Amino acid sequence: MPPVFSRQISRFSNWVQQSTEGEPRAILSTRPSDDFMSRAVSFTDEVSFDNYSLFLHSQRTFIYSGEFHTFRLPVPDLWPDILQKVKAAGLNSVSVYTHMGLLNPSRGVVDFDGYRSLKTLYEAALEAGIWLVMRPGALPYINAETSAGGIAHWATTEVAGRLRSNDSDWREAWQDYVLGFIEETSPYQITEGGPVIDNEFQQAIGDTYFQDLEDVYHASAIVVPLTYNDPNQGANFINGTGAVDLYGLDSYPQSFDCSRPTVWKNVTTNYHDYHERVNPAQPYYFPEFQGGAFDPWGPNAPGYANCGILTGADFMSVFYRQLWAANAKLMSYYMIYGGTSWGAIPFPAYKTHYQVYTSYDYGATISEGRTLGSKYDELKRQGFFIRSSPEFYKTDWIADSATGLAVTSNAAIFATYLRNPDSGSGFYILRHNDSTSTAVTDFDLSVSTSQGDVELTALTLNGRQSKVVVADYTFGSSSRVSYSTASIYYASVIDERDVILFFGDKDQSHEFSMQLTGTSLGGSDGDLLSGFSITTSGDNSVVSVAAGVEPGIVTIHDSHTQLVLFADTVTASSFFSPIIPGDSSNPFRTFWGLGTNESILVGGPYLVRTADILEGSTLALTGDLNSSTTVAIVASSSVHTVTWNGVKMKTRSGLTGKGGFVAELPFAGTEVSVPVLEGWKFKDSLPEIGSGFDDGDWVMANHTTTNIPQKPYYGDGRILYGCDYGFCENIVLWRGHFNATGAEKSVNLSINGGEAFAASVWLNDVFLNTSYGNSTNNQNKLEETDDLFTFPDGALVEGDNVITIVQDNMGLNETRNTDSSKNPRGVRGFKLDVGNFSDWKVQGKVGGYTGYPDKVRGVFNEGGLFGERSGWHLPGFDTSTWESRELSDGLPGSACWRWGLGQPYRVYLFVNGWMMGKRVANLGPQAKFPVHEGILDYSGTNTVAIALWAMEENVILSPNLQLVVDGVYEGGVGKISTNNPGWSAAGRVVRDHEEY
């Protein structure tokens, strides 16, 4: 059955205030001006490093980061939401790919408007206090499960030379993009008071090619280090031609099989040895380490929930601390937030790689819907420990259990010993020797302290758990922990006293030894709950916590000089430690270590975003709630008033006699009612099969040469590849004309659309059949077909006959060699059994990649259906003359619809003009599509349009599309504007196809 469009309009009047639309603006650039094309001989000393770690403004810094692709969240007002959540977990950096295909949609055009903006990201990161590692790609490839790996589609067809090489026409092709990136980025480097500290590229092919790129950056105003992400332990670009300033390693130790989420691989055990062998003079850097996994098309695809289990909190506990054990001090987790591969962003599988569908949730720490769960709690536990432990930023790797370190009583436990060479602080990183083990294992541990070796007894590691035991750990201004089997969540100075929060699992015992100083504010420290005890050992107090104590937070010691707290793991994980910004004149006032060293503790809320001290005595907190909660705060004793999102809280004293507050935060729990999607309007979207359709304004497909290396299989020499005619993305239509003699019985067509594609074929108005590409999930990878289409009796007409092909282009392959993204998407073979074709015509999205009218949503948003070309999916299009027909009633005629896996249909979901989902029902798995505020207007009129493509005749199907609310949260980042331009006749097909 032909594709049809249905539209539904509803008003979300009960949500937030409507925002005004801004006019789209494209920035066109050919070359940047000369004033930013001069560069120092080497990278700035404001970003430097030794063999231990990075220095920012001469301060030793542990880079703890996560990957975030702004183009996968096309609402710039929501970017602060991700950055604040990253900051709230204790991280200090974000790594960001930029996408040539979106920024450089055609030759000579570079567009940094809207969701493509870099300046908006840079300003948001500066406000949040998050460093940025920018990743514009290796001339300019990013991979990232995106079509062509991020290479602009136009380049895959216009460039005759090899992609990702030093061929002259490829070099000319990437200049605008790279120089545009430099122009946008250079004013926001750390040297200019901005957040950009690193410029990273990866996966280059050839050293001279890589050097070519570096020379461009070296001749520019980019003065931060250039770094490299090596996808394997290949020791690439450390020395010689193309060598970068700082080498890094990419690692995905669990791989990507989410179908068996509890089946683990062992940790990689040679990380440290590899670093010592290839670049020991530099700090150990992991620009990409596994933070989730992608999920493929396919009938048995497990879905991203399983990917979140595969790389869940236990994986993070073991595998992330394995990086610590390798002495790595710069690391970024891919992804921290995955987002949505809307429109034509996804790529089709190539060889061993899986294709991805619309969702790019990735099982990441922050879900596609921007919600937080157990992975976020584990990230906080690690992030706050790192932020609290500057002595951990400089450690020597001493030994591990494989090299003779004999400190555990049980061979099932593997230990690595790191030590700070200046302070002597020791860090024992513990895991199971078999890191896949689910056993609960008890053991003793011998640790070295300044007071001698200490035998610690009755330690426990649960299955798939790792922890750090510290020795001679200093914190605050003058406090020292001799040893601790309890983990450290937070350690710093609050109100001129040293504050530390220990934690541990409630089913394990814990012990720490430290000197407790100062006179207690709350009476005797012996007034502890059952299960806690304090004994003395010389000048130290030994605090013991028995297994099975009641969960909660306990004040161990509270004096004018110290506050010592202990909590079970769950309770500790409810705490946040927002920083208090420094002096307003400091551009880095929100950056921990450079602009401020002041922080507080806040426990209880779902999320604490920011904190500030106003007028010296008001603590202003912002954050989110998802339920009513009790809030516990440790702050300065100068605080007399506490506000939450601007509302004064009624507080009482608690946790400590100095600067401690407890309050109740009520959650209104407002029910959000969403409209039922009804009142649908319907119209056929394939007039091209009608006898009167005139394709005179379509593009004549008459090329006989192509830069795409995969040539046609058969035909008459004409090239029918969509990209060669400007139509690379989404649905492309082909019409082949021939004069019938009556002897024709069939046509043979070879169609290439990428894995999981489909192409339906008609002779005149008679449906012939559909060719199907297959999916990676069932290991039957198929990106092109070669099928015989037989003509039914009576289908031929006298004179001109037309073969119409509706083909779904699933994207271009990622590049595994210099030209594997140059794909022959289209018709690779055409042949009638009798006679020849006369004209072939082609039509994709209106205007192609050079003249598409929707500059706001961009080149990847639309395809070539008549409804798309006419703008039926856009807000404001007049559907008053359309037929009223409920979606559940299906199509007119013999076919009706049922929404379910295995059914042969496709749905293209447009929300306020944005293609936010592609449903492939015969493959699956995705049937639910998150749509963010900013795409949805929470207080205005919203338009939902779907293109429904039935790929077989007489199949019982019945679709159902509903709005659902996944959760309600109070808080947020403020007003979210929309940028959803409505319909305009400019550049659109304005004629009504009823004339056909």
Side-chain angles (χ1 to χ4, degrees), residues 695-703 714-721 725 727 732-738 747-751 760-762 789 791 800-807 826-832 835-843:
D695 59 18
D697 57 356
W698 283 30
V699 175
M700 184 72 74
N702 57 4
H703 294 185
Y714 50 87
D716 58 15
R718 280 178 287 187
I719 306 295
L720 304 187
Y721 298 165
Y725 301 95
F727 307 124
V732 177
L733 290 86
W734 302 88
R735 281 169 58 87
H737 295 258
F738 66 95
V747 62
N748 210 91
L749 297 172
S750 179
I751 303 172
S760 292
V761 181
W762 285 260
F789 297 86
F791 301 159
D800 185 43
N801 287 258
V802 181
I803 295 291
T804 301
I805 305 169
V806 178
Q807 172 211 339
V827 183
R828 290 194 71 184
F830 56 91
K831 184 179 180 181
L832 293 165
N836 299 301
F837 285 95
S838 53
D839 291 339
W840 274 98
K841 298 290 191 72
V842 61
Q843 181 65 60

Side-chain angles (χ1 to χ4, degrees), residues 271-388:
Y271 284 146
H272 174 259
D273 291 343
Y274 174 74
H275 179 247
E276 289 298 298
R277 177 170 59 85
V278 301
N279 67 326
Q282 295 185 339
Y284 207 175
Y285 181 24
F286 281 83
E288 274 193 36
F289 190 82
Q290 185 164 16
F294 47 73
D295 193 45
W297 293 103
N300 300 307
Y304 280 115
N306 273 22
C307 297
I309 296 171
L310 179 72
T311 59
D314 50 359
F315 164 84
M316 298 164 71
S317 175
V318 174
F319 283 77
Y320 289 8
R321 288 187 178 89
Q322 181 70 2
L323 299 185
W324 301 5
N327 218 14
K329 304 302 183 188
L330 301 88
M331 58 195 68
S332 186
Y333 301 124
Y334 188 105
M335 302 287 298
I336 191 75
Y337 172 74
T340 305
S341 292
W342 55 277
I345 288 174
F347 88 114
Y350 178 67
K351 293 185 177 178
T352 60
H353 273 62
Y354 292 157
Q355 184 190 27
V356 294
Y357 43 87
T358 301
S359 175
Y360 199 67
D361 179 273
Y362 214 78
T365 299
I366 305 172
S367 76
E368 183 180 9
R370 310 193 323 278
T371 59
L372 311 175
S374 61
K375 292 186 67 169
Y376 189 79
D377 290 341
E378 176 61 28
L379 193 67
K380 278 201 299 179
R381 293 190 283 268
Q382 298 184 27
F384 286 134
F385 170 78
I386 289 173
R387 199 188 77 179
S388 299

Side-chain angles (χ1 to χ4, degrees), residues 910-922:
F910 293 89
V911 180
N912 289 326
W914 298 80
M915 188 197 288
M916 296 306 298
K918 180 186 289 189
R919 162 78 167 159
V920 180
N922 63 300

Side-chain angles (χ1 to χ4, degrees), residues 811-826:
L812 303 182
N813 294 340
E814 290 181 335
T815 301
R816 297 299 164 194
N817 57 55
T818 56
D819 275 344
S820 56
S821 291
K822 291 185 173 183
N823 300 136
R825 299 292 186 249

Side-chain angles (χ1 to χ4, degrees), residues 426-586:
F427 303 88
Y428 294 84
I429 302 171
L430 308 172
R431 61 170 173 83
H432 281 88
N433 189 45
D434 174 7
S435 58
T436 72
S437 173
T438 58
V440 177
T441 304
D442 298 325
F443 61 100
D444 301 334
L445 179 70
S446 177
V447 300
S448 178
T449 76
S450 58
Q451 299 172 337
D453 291 347
V454 179
E455 294 294 324
L456 304 177
T457 60
L459 282 76
T460 301
L461 269 185
N462 291 335
R464 298 183 173 182
Q465 182 181 43
S466 178
K467 61 175 63 174
V468 178
V469 170
V470 300
D472 291 331
Y473 177 91
T474 62
F475 71 96
S477 60
S478 59
S479 296
R480 176 181 287 259
V481 176
S482 292
Y483 64 83
S484 176
T485 66
S487 298
I488 294 171
Y489 190 82
Y490 171 90
S492 191
V493 175
I494 300 178
D495 198 19
E496 299 182 345
R497 62 176 178 161
D498 299 345
V499 178
I500 190 167
L501 170 57
F502 295 96
F503 76 95
D505 291 351
K506 66 180 182 180
D507 59 351
Q508 299 177 5
S509 61
H510 311 280
E511 181 178 295
F512 56 91
S513 173
M514 62 180 293
Q515 186 176 6
L516 302 178
T517 64
T519 303
S520 173
L521 296 174
S524 170
D525 288 334
D527 296 334
L528 295 174
L529 298 176
S530 174
F532 291 82
S533 65
I534 300 178
T535 59
T536 58
S537 177
D539 293 333
N540 283 354
S541 295
V542 178
V543 179
S544 300
V545 182
V549 297
E550 288 295 317
I553 187 165
V554 175
T555 302
I556 304 296
H557 179 64
D558 185 17
S559 74
H560 287 289
T561 59
Q562 285 180 333
L563 175 63
V564 181
L565 304 167
F566 179 88
D568 66 282
T569 300
V570 173
T571 301
S573 302
S574 72
F575 274 80
F576 293 84
S577 178
I579 62 102
I580 304 298
D583 190 276
S584 60
S585 64
N586 186 343

Side-chain angles (χ1 to χ4, degrees), residues 826-904:
V827 183
R828 290 194 71 184
F830 56 91
K831 184 179 180 181
L832 293 165
D833 63 329
V834 176
N836 299 301
F837 285 95
S838 53
D839 291 339
W840 274 98
K841 298 290 191 72
V842 61
Q843 181 65 60
K845 70 167 159 288
V846 64
Y849 59 66
T850 60
Y852 61 95
D854 192 345
K855 305 302 184 188
V856 170
R857 299 176 183 88
V859 69
F860 277 24
N861 189 61
E862 295 177 6
L865 288 177
F866 186 91
E868 293 176 281
R869 304 192 322 262
S870 302
W872 295 356
H873 58 296
L874 295 173
F877 183 85
D878 183 8
T879 60
S880 60
T881 62
W882 286 23
E883 175 187 344
S884 293
R885 186 178 185 87
E886 291 306 318
L887 185 64
S888 58
D889 291 339
L891 295 175
S894 59
C896 57
W897 295 85
R898 181 176 62 221
W899 191 272
L901 183 64
Q903 300 302 312

